[in-house]
Structure formats: C-alpha cells, structure tokens
C-alpha cells in the first residue's frame, strides 16, 4: 500500500511510522504501597508532540516522572529509542537525551537568571553558549539576566525553565502542565516555542489538564483516567471524545 493511500485510510502500517523514541509498555508504578499506574502503554515517535490529557489524579505527572527516571516502575518496560532502560537514574536520562521540566519548574528563586542557566553547564556546554541560546530564543531573559529568578513573572520563569532544559540538547522533552498558573497569551507563546522546537527535531510528551491549550500543536493525544491510558488518537478524535469522557476543555 502506498504511504498516501495508507494515510488516507488512517491505517499507517508500523514500517511507515517514525521510529519510537520513548515507550512505556504495561508500566505500573506506586507511591509506597499505593499503586497509581496500573499498566500504562504510551509511545512517542520521532518528531511528534504527544499530548497526555485527563482529569486531576489520572496519573499524568506520575507517567512523566516514570518516563524520565524520577520514579521507578514496579513492572512493565520503559524504552528509549527501542532499548529497555528500566531502572535508569534521572541523571542518566539526560545523557540519553530525555529531559524534563519538573513540577514547579525546577528553577532556583534566589539565584539570578544567569546563575540558573549556568547550573545547566554540568552537561558540558559552556556558559556563553547556554546564555546565547537562551537569550536568542527569549530576549526578555537577556533583559533580565541579573534579576533573581523568583522575582520574575510566571511566564518568564517558564521560559527560564525551558531554556535550562534545552541546554542539555535533548532529543525528547517531557513537559508537565506547561500552562500552570500562566495567562492564556503566555501559554500560547510557550506552545509556539514548543512547536518551533519540534521543527528543530525534538520530540515532546506534554501532560496537560487543559486539553484545548495543547491540542492545536499535538500530533497524537492520549487520555489518562485512573492510572491507565484509556484512549489514543488524533487530536480531533480525542477532542471530540473529551467532551463526553470528561470536561477538560
Ligand atoms: N508523591 C505522592 N505520594 C503519594 N501519592 C501521590 C504522590 N503523587 C501523586 N500521588 C497520587 O497518585 C495519583 C496520580 O497523581 P498524578 O499527580 O500523577 O496525577 P495527574 O494526572 O498529574 O493530576 P493533575 O492533573 O492534578 O496534575 C493521585 O491519586 C495522587 O494523589
Ligand atoms: Mg499532574
């Protein structure tokens, strides 16, 4: 079957799809004795933005934590580029090209913008190169280079967090609630940036409670309910589903 025909029929055979960069297969994970992921299956392919949607407590953040090695899985498999990497440490994931912005953005409020960026030089990139990349992408960070990060707006802090993550030159970026606490205009700016990163070759998994903010830039959307992925499809399909399964819009 030709690629166009397969595409038109909506049934792309495996060999025509981009290779998977990140896979969770039957993943279970717990906090202490309480299991919260009950067999999660999720695939992010090269060059894709995958939106992970669903209501509070569904397991989105936990899935992101497992995917970047912050939380161990109790069973199932985590794979990077087709290779099993269960038991990997969060430090090793960065080396393998998977990078996350943790909840709360992971920036140091009492350090300046530049000092926060410098902390990313542990990955072998020079301070000058990190600053140039960050200030080139977000000129406002350049204007505020000596300001304490904690005194910046939420949007500026998110730009700083994103710049720090990008300093490691990741192949896969994991984002959790990029929109948290931000004005709608800033959210759409952040997602424009994400779309631009994808143009540059990064693959993205983004957990979002508010579907409408991320669906426009997503290639694939997945819905999580009670520790499982209950639906995967095109953004249009999932958008239609969402109004019936839960009110995320
Ligand atoms: N550190 C923790 N210790 C114990 N239970 C936790 C912890 N973090 C999350 N949980 C529980 O795990 C379940 C899944 O939470 P998770 O944060 O993954 O959901 P979520 O989909 O990201 O929700 P939200 O949309 O509110 O961010 C919830 O029942 C939550 O209470
Ligand atoms: Mg969450």
């Amino acid at each position: 079957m030709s690629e166009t025909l397969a595409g038109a029929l909506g049934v792309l055979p495996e060999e025509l799809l981009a290779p998977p960069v990140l896979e969770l297969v039957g993943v279970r994970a717990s906090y202490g004795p309480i299991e919260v992921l009950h067999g999660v299956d999720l695939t992010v392919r090269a060059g894709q933005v995958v939106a992970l949607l669903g209501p509070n407590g569904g397991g989105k953040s936990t899935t992101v934590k497992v995917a970047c090695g912050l939380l161990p899985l109790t069973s199932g498999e985590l794979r990077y580029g087709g290779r099993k990497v269960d038991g990997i440490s969060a430090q090793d994931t960065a080396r393998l090209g998977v990078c996350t912005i943790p909840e709360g953005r992971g920036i140091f409020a009492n350090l300046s913008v530049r000092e926060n960026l410098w902390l990313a030089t542990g990955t072998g990139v020079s301070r000058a190169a990190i600053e140039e990349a960050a200030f080139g992408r977000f000129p406002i960070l350049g204007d505020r280079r000596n300001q304490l990060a904690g005194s910046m707006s939420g949007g500026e802090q998110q730009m700083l967090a994103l710049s720090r993550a990008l300093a490691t030159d990741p192949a896969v970026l994991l984002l959790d609630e990029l929109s948290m606490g931000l004005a709608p205009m800033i959210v759409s700016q952040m997602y424009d940036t994400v779309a631009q990163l994808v143009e540059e070759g990064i693959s993205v998994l983004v957990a979002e409670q508010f579907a409408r903010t991320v669906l426009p830039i997503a290639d694939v959307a997945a819905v999580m309910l009670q520790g499982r992925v209950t639906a995967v499809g095109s953004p249009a399909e999932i958008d239609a589903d969402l109004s019936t399964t839960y009110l995320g819009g």
Side-chain angles (χ1 to χ4, degrees):
M1 184 163 34
S2 76
E3 191 162 350
T4 358
L5 180 56
L9 294 174
V11 280
L12 277 177
E14 181 75 23
E15 63 272 18
L16 291 182
L17 295 170
V21 290
L22 172 71
E23 291 165 282
L24 280 75
V25 184
V27 164
R28 292 177 177 266
S30 309
Y31 294 106
I34 301 173
E35 184 178 274
V36 297
L37 299 186
H38 311 296
V40 172
D41 295 304
L42 190 66
T43 302
V44 180
R45 292 178 182 278
Q48 279 184 338
V49 176
V50 177
L52 190 57
L53 310 169
N56 293 127
K60 303 179 297 293
S61 296
T62 307
T63 300
V64 168
K65 282 183 212 162
V66 166
C68 69
L70 277 172
L71 184 72
L73 35 161
T74 49
S75 73
E77 274 190 21
L78 173 63
R79 299 182 197 146
Y80 291 172
R83 288 236 195 110
K84 186 170 181 247
V85 292
D86 309 352
I88 195 167
S89 74
Q91 287 97 314
D92 287 340
T93 59
R95 205 171 39 78
L96 290 172
V98 178
C99 181
T100 189
I101 298 182
E103 269 171 313
R105 303 183 181 130
I107 60 174
F108 295 91
N110 56 348
L111 296 182
S112 72
V113 168
R114 302 177 80 192
E115 288 163 339
N116 267 281
L117 289 172
W118 294 346
L119 289 173
T121 57
T123 54
V125 198
S126 75
R127 288 183 176 191
I130 290 181
E131 287 189 23
E132 194 186 317
F135 303 158
R137 196 177 295 282
F138 301 114
I140 187 90
L141 292 182
D143 300 341
R144 293 171 181 263
R145 63 187 76 201
N146 295 315
Q147 187 171 329
L148 292 185
S151 67
M152 295 200 301
S153 75
E156 290 160 358
Q157 291 186 26
Q158 195 61 280
M159 291 173 205
L160 178 57
L162 200 51
S163 297
R164 275 189 41 181
L166 293 175
T168 64
D169 196 18
V172 186
L173 189 58
L174 309 176
L175 302 171
D176 191 3
E177 307 282 350
L178 196 56
S179 65
M180 179 93 77
L182 301 182
M185 209 182 77
I186 306 290
V187 173
S188 91
Q189 264 175 32
M190 296 305 296
Y191 278 119
D192 285 348
T193 305
V194 171
Q196 202 181 318
L197 294 171
V198 173
E199 294 282 301
E200 294 167 21
I202 292 187
S203 310
V204 182
L205 175 64
V206 52
E208 266 294 347
Q209 198 194 325
F210 298 102
R212 299 279 138 76
T213 62
V214 66
L215 280 176
I217 64 150
D219 299 294
V220 175
V223 179
M224 275 202 95
L225 281 175
Q226 298 175 356
R228 282 189 187 85
V229 173
T230 54
V232 179
S234 70
E237 285 166 346
I238 296 299
D239 198 10
D241 270 13
L242 284 176
S243 34
T244 52
T245 46
Y246 88 107
L247 301 174

